[in-house]
């Protein structure tokens, strides 16, 4: 991509954040009595992780929490998005919770608060306890109950200092990649048989929201991964394929939360969702903010007749790409357009939080200065797109960079570097990249322009 930094200042009204997730940074996977998760099972499958790595030591963050907090504080962000792994807290997927693990996250919360950063945890970033998966995982309605109980256990320990929570990260990825095609844990290949996992995750979120609110939490939200779907060709077949993909990736997850409805799957010949009783009413009232993760648009074409899935994802013609290659094309206007589209479809849209946005680019493994101009250009253009969406009336209130640190990218292992901070995985050494200083300065400028406009108002 040709680095181009937009001239417009960043939106003054935004709060700023950076994100990580537990498995991707922590290492020490079973320290303090931590239990087994579906990712331990995935890592154990031969050939499953692209570079043969495990998520240990990753960034060694379980032991180097203070280094991470210092990096977060140095950026000047308002909040830090990190995740708490269910299998560490409830190794058996139920019960009162593992005190040592809860103490650890309590120290993380205290450390952030002492550094002037608001902790903003995610309760589920894909680490389902293996025992819960053995009982059916997200295909099993009971998992929603289990999750609400887990949320209550965490809130009982941290809720005196944490007021805002993300419940579930990107349920679409769990449904599509985890259960439908198997590119993420638990590696199931159920195709449309995976659909119940969409409903059960939303139900789990609703139950967790009820538990958190009952314990005095101020705001609860779920974070969906959204994409902007483009038909490859302007034909009836490709438009239909794009519509179906849009439904599976986006609308299956946004509509129940934002409008209390579900897309009509049966008219498309797909199985109905296992909705029972007042499920939809519970889901509809369950978000105080709506999280949107965005990385790239998706181009779709109709699959050959008789294929098991009627659409196929193909490279988007004519766009620059990130470290993932044609799978992750760069199109910042897609973020603006999808935010405006979401707002138009859902007039009662709550405040929006961009929970993740960022890119990997090929960068050196060993420590040293990284002049990541491509990342700066990517982030700047997407922040600018958020500004355009705000001008068009979308109530975005926070923007989050993925990621604070280079980390372990699921089945891609250590092959993709997304960090503002370079991590040498052999030594754990952290070195801020050029993008770290750029983001820090952008936040400082945006904050001072907010102060100036507040003072002159
Ligand atoms: C998102 C995940 C996050 C990270 C980024 C690159 O889908 O939530 O953990 O892997 O992609």
């Amino acid at each position: 991509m040709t680095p181009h930094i937009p001239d417009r200042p960043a939106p003054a009204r935004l709060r700023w954040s950076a994100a990580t997730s537990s498995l991707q940074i922590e290492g020490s996977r079973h320290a303090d009595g931590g239990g087994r998760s579906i990712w331990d099972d995935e890592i154990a499958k031969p050939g499953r992780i692209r570079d043969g790595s495990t998520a240990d030591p990753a960034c060694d963050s379980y032991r180097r929490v203070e280094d991470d907090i210092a990096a977060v504080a140095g950026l000047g962000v308002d909040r830090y998005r990190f995740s708490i792994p269910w299998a560490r807290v409830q190794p058996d997927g139920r019960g009162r919770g593992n005190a040592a693990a809860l103490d650890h996250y309590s120290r993380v919360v205290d450390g952030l608060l002492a550094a002037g950063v608001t902790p903003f945890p995610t309760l589920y970033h894909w680490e389902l306890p293996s025992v819960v998966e053995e009982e059916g995982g997200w295909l099993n309605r009971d998992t929603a109950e289990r999750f609400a109980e887990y949320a209550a256990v965490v809130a009982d320990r941290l809720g005196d200092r944490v007021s805002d929570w993300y419940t579930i990260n990107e349920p679409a990825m769990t449904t599509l990649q985890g259960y439908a095609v198997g590119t993420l844990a638990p590696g199931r290949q159920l195709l449309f048989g995976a659909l119940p996992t969409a409903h059960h995750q939303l139900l789990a979120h609703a139950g967790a929201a009820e538990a958190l609110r009952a314990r005095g939490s101020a705001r609860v939200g779920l974070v969906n991964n959204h994409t902007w779907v483009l038909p490859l060709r302007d034909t009836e077949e490709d438009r239909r394929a794009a519509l179906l993909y849009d439904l599976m990736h986006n609308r299956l997850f946004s509509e129940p939360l934002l409008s209390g409805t579900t897309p009509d799957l049966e008219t498309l010949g797909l199985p109905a969702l296992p909705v029972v009783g007042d499920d939809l009413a519970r889901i509809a009232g369950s978000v105080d903010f709506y999280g949107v993760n965005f990385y790239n648009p998706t181009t779709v074409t109709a699959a050959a007749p008789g294929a098991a899935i009627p659409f196929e994802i193909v490279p988007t013609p004519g766009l620059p790409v990130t470290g993932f290659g044609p799978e992750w094309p760069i199109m910042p206007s897609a973020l603006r357009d999808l935010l405006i589209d979401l707002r138009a479809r859902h007039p009662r849209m709550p405040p929006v939080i961009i929970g993740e946005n960022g890119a990997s680019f090929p960068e050196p493994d060993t420590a040293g200065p990284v002049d990541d101009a491509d990342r700066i250009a990517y982030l700047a253009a997407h922040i600018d797109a958020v500004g355009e969406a705000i001008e068009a009336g979308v109530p975005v209130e926070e923007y989050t960079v993925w990621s604070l640190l280079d980390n372990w990218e699921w089945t891609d292992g250590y092959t993709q570097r997304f960090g503002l901070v370079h991590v040498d995985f052999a030594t754990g050494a952290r070195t801020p990249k050029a993008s770290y200083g750029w983001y820090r300065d952008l936040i400082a400028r945006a904050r001072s322009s907010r102060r100036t406009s507040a003072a002159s108002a």
Side-chain angles (χ1 to χ4, degrees), residues 26 33 37 64 84 91 93 152 218 232 236 248 259 327 372 398:
E26 284 182 339
S37 85
R64 300 180 70 142
I84 297 173
L232 179 64
E236 182 57 31
M248 292 296 132
S259 291
E327 272 177 61
D372 52 344
E398 182 164 328

PDB file of all heavy atoms in Angstrom, residues 26 33 37 64 84 91 93 152 218 232 236 248 259 327 372 398:
ATOM      1  N   GLU A  26      -0.359 -14.235  26.817  1.00  0.00           N
ATOM      2  CA  GLU A  26       0.015 -14.536  28.202  1.00  0.00           C
ATOM      3  C   GLU A  26       1.099 -15.584  28.394  1.00  0.00           C
ATOM      4  O   GLU A  26       1.940 -15.458  29.270  1.00  0.00           O
ATOM      5  CB  GLU A  26      -1.219 -14.989  28.998  1.00  0.00           C
ATOM      6  CG  GLU A  26      -2.124 -13.839  29.368  1.00  0.00           C
ATOM      7  CD  GLU A  26      -3.310 -14.290  30.194  1.00  0.00           C
ATOM      8  OE1 GLU A  26      -3.673 -15.496  30.171  1.00  0.00           O
ATOM      9  OE2 GLU A  26      -3.901 -13.443  30.866  1.00  0.00           O
ATOM     10  N   GLY A  33      -3.226 -23.064  38.316  1.00  0.00           N
ATOM     11  CA  GLY A  33      -4.367 -23.981  38.221  1.00  0.00           C
ATOM     12  C   GLY A  33      -5.255 -23.756  37.011  1.00  0.00           C
ATOM     13  O   GLY A  33      -6.402 -24.213  36.998  1.00  0.00           O
ATOM     14  N   SER A  37      -8.339 -25.543  27.549  1.00  0.00           N
ATOM     15  CA  SER A  37      -9.354 -24.929  26.691  1.00  0.00           C
ATOM     16  C   SER A  37      -9.327 -25.592  25.314  1.00  0.00           C
ATOM     17  O   SER A  37      -8.414 -26.373  25.004  1.00  0.00           O
ATOM     18  CB  SER A  37      -9.115 -23.419  26.541  1.00  0.00           C
ATOM     19  OG  SER A  37      -8.182 -23.183  25.508  1.00  0.00           O
ATOM     20  N   ARG A  64       4.714 -10.863  32.777  1.00  0.00           N
ATOM     21  CA  ARG A  64       5.263  -9.526  32.516  1.00  0.00           C
ATOM     22  C   ARG A  64       4.159  -8.480  32.438  1.00  0.00           C
ATOM     23  O   ARG A  64       4.254  -7.528  31.657  1.00  0.00           O
ATOM     24  CB  ARG A  64       6.047  -9.541  31.196  1.00  0.00           C
ATOM     25  CG  ARG A  64       7.208 -10.522  31.233  1.00  0.00           C
ATOM     26  CD  ARG A  64       7.970 -10.539  29.929  1.00  0.00           C
ATOM     27  NE  ARG A  64       8.697  -9.305  29.738  1.00  0.00           N
ATOM     28  CZ  ARG A  64       9.911  -9.225  29.204  1.00  0.00           C
ATOM     29  NH1 ARG A  64      10.547 -10.313  28.839  1.00  0.00           N
ATOM     30  NH2 ARG A  64      10.479  -8.064  29.036  1.00  0.00           N
ATOM     31  N   ILE A  84     -10.076 -12.141  29.818  1.00  0.00           N
ATOM     32  CA  ILE A  84      -9.947 -13.047  30.956  1.00  0.00           C
ATOM     33  C   ILE A  84     -10.365 -14.432  30.450  1.00  0.00           C
ATOM     34  O   ILE A  84     -11.446 -14.575  29.887  1.00  0.00           O
ATOM     35  CB  ILE A  84     -10.871 -12.581  32.103  1.00  0.00           C
ATOM     36  CG1 ILE A  84     -10.416 -11.180  32.570  1.00  0.00           C
ATOM     37  CG2 ILE A  84     -10.874 -13.588  33.253  1.00  0.00           C
ATOM     38  CD1 ILE A  84     -11.320 -10.529  33.582  1.00  0.00           C
ATOM     39  N   PRO A  91     -11.710 -23.930  35.651  1.00  0.00           N
ATOM     40  CA  PRO A  91     -11.092 -25.038  34.900  1.00  0.00           C
ATOM     41  C   PRO A  91     -12.088 -26.142  34.561  1.00  0.00           C
ATOM     42  O   PRO A  91     -11.939 -26.816  33.543  1.00  0.00           O
ATOM     43  CB  PRO A  91     -10.014 -25.552  35.855  1.00  0.00           C
ATOM     44  CG  PRO A  91      -9.777 -24.424  36.818  1.00  0.00           C
ATOM     45  CD  PRO A  91     -11.034 -23.640  36.908  1.00  0.00           C
ATOM     46  N   GLY A  93     -15.284 -25.488  34.023  1.00  0.00           N
ATOM     47  CA  GLY A  93     -16.417 -24.873  33.324  1.00  0.00           C
ATOM     48  C   GLY A  93     -17.577 -24.542  34.240  1.00  0.00           C
ATOM     49  O   GLY A  93     -18.646 -24.173  33.774  1.00  0.00           O
ATOM     50  N   ALA A 152     -20.762 -14.060  36.295  1.00  0.00           N
ATOM     51  CA  ALA A 152     -21.090 -13.646  37.662  1.00  0.00           C
ATOM     52  C   ALA A 152     -19.891 -13.852  38.595  1.00  0.00           C
ATOM     53  O   ALA A 152     -19.593 -13.004  39.436  1.00  0.00           O
ATOM     54  CB  ALA A 152     -22.298 -14.438  38.159  1.00  0.00           C
ATOM     55  N   ALA A 218     -21.948  -0.956  34.934  1.00  0.00           N
ATOM     56  CA  ALA A 218     -22.523   0.204  34.257  1.00  0.00           C
ATOM     57  C   ALA A 218     -22.913  -0.118  32.824  1.00  0.00           C
ATOM     58  O   ALA A 218     -24.006   0.193  32.382  1.00  0.00           O
ATOM     59  CB  ALA A 218     -21.533   1.355  34.282  1.00  0.00           C
ATOM     60  N   LEU A 232     -18.503 -10.297  -6.433  1.00  0.00           N
ATOM     61  CA  LEU A 232     -17.386 -10.200  -7.391  1.00  0.00           C
ATOM     62  C   LEU A 232     -17.853  -9.598  -8.710  1.00  0.00           C
ATOM     63  O   LEU A 232     -17.241  -8.692  -9.250  1.00  0.00           O
ATOM     64  CB  LEU A 232     -16.784 -11.590  -7.627  1.00  0.00           C
ATOM     65  CG  LEU A 232     -15.631 -11.638  -8.627  1.00  0.00           C
ATOM     66  CD1 LEU A 232     -14.431 -10.853  -8.129  1.00  0.00           C
ATOM     67  CD2 LEU A 232     -15.224 -13.091  -8.910  1.00  0.00           C
ATOM     68  N   GLU A 236     -26.801 -11.639 -10.979  1.00  0.00           N
ATOM     69  CA  GLU A 236     -27.814 -12.096 -10.035  1.00  0.00           C
ATOM     70  C   GLU A 236     -27.215 -13.140  -9.073  1.00  0.00           C
ATOM     71  O   GLU A 236     -27.402 -13.079  -7.855  1.00  0.00           O
ATOM     72  CB  GLU A 236     -28.966 -12.703 -10.876  1.00  0.00           C
ATOM     73  CG  GLU A 236     -30.166 -13.197 -10.109  1.00  0.00           C
ATOM     74  CD  GLU A 236     -30.790 -12.112  -9.245  1.00  0.00           C
ATOM     75  OE1 GLU A 236     -30.730 -10.921  -9.619  1.00  0.00           O
ATOM     76  OE2 GLU A 236     -31.301 -12.480  -8.165  1.00  0.00           O
ATOM     77  N   MET A 248     -24.778 -14.400   6.992  1.00  0.00           N
ATOM     78  CA  MET A 248     -24.044 -15.321   7.869  1.00  0.00           C
ATOM     79  C   MET A 248     -23.002 -14.593   8.718  1.00  0.00           C
ATOM     80  O   MET A 248     -22.795 -14.913   9.876  1.00  0.00           O
ATOM     81  CB  MET A 248     -23.289 -16.378   7.023  1.00  0.00           C
ATOM     82  CG  MET A 248     -24.180 -17.342   6.310  1.00  0.00           C
ATOM     83  SD  MET A 248     -25.078 -18.315   7.515  1.00  0.00           S
ATOM     84  CE  MET A 248     -26.709 -18.180   6.883  1.00  0.00           C
ATOM     85  N   SER A 259     -32.084  -5.119  16.789  1.00  0.00           N
ATOM     86  CA  SER A 259     -33.505  -4.956  16.450  1.00  0.00           C
ATOM     87  C   SER A 259     -34.393  -6.051  17.019  1.00  0.00           C
ATOM     88  O   SER A 259     -35.601  -6.027  16.813  1.00  0.00           O
ATOM     89  CB  SER A 259     -33.693  -4.920  14.925  1.00  0.00           C
ATOM     90  OG  SER A 259     -33.150  -3.740  14.398  1.00  0.00           O
ATOM     91  N   GLU A 327      -6.238 -12.495   1.276  1.00  0.00           N
ATOM     92  CA  GLU A 327      -7.328 -12.738   2.226  1.00  0.00           C
ATOM     93  C   GLU A 327      -7.729 -11.468   2.977  1.00  0.00           C
ATOM     94  O   GLU A 327      -8.833 -11.367   3.478  1.00  0.00           O
ATOM     95  CB  GLU A 327      -6.841 -13.709   3.310  1.00  0.00           C
ATOM     96  CG  GLU A 327      -7.002 -15.156   3.027  1.00  0.00           C
ATOM     97  CD  GLU A 327      -6.384 -15.952   4.192  1.00  0.00           C
ATOM     98  OE1 GLU A 327      -6.839 -15.809   5.333  1.00  0.00           O
ATOM     99  OE2 GLU A 327      -5.424 -16.687   3.926  1.00  0.00           O
ATOM    100  N   ASP A 372       7.172   1.085  10.837  1.00  0.00           N
ATOM    101  CA  ASP A 372       5.993   0.458  10.234  1.00  0.00           C
ATOM    102  C   ASP A 372       5.040   1.482   9.600  1.00  0.00           C
ATOM    103  O   ASP A 372       3.892   1.636  10.033  1.00  0.00           O
ATOM    104  CB  ASP A 372       5.279  -0.431  11.265  1.00  0.00           C
ATOM    105  CG  ASP A 372       4.968   0.283  12.570  1.00  0.00           C
ATOM    106  OD1 ASP A 372       5.546   1.353  12.819  1.00  0.00           O
ATOM    107  OD2 ASP A 372       4.129  -0.229  13.338  1.00  0.00           O
ATOM    108  N   GLU A 398     -15.618   5.253  20.696  1.00  0.00           N
ATOM    109  CA  GLU A 398     -14.284   4.766  21.088  1.00  0.00           C
ATOM    110  C   GLU A 398     -13.649   4.027  19.916  1.00  0.00           C
ATOM    111  O   GLU A 398     -14.347   3.379  19.126  1.00  0.00           O
ATOM    112  CB  GLU A 398     -14.439   3.830  22.299  1.00  0.00           C
ATOM    113  CG  GLU A 398     -13.142   3.272  22.854  1.00  0.00           C
ATOM    114  CD  GLU A 398     -13.331   2.695  24.269  1.00  0.00           C
ATOM    115  OE1 GLU A 398     -14.184   3.228  25.026  1.00  0.00           O
ATOM    116  OE2 GLU A 398     -12.644   1.729  24.610  1.00  0.00           O
TER     117      GLU A 398
END
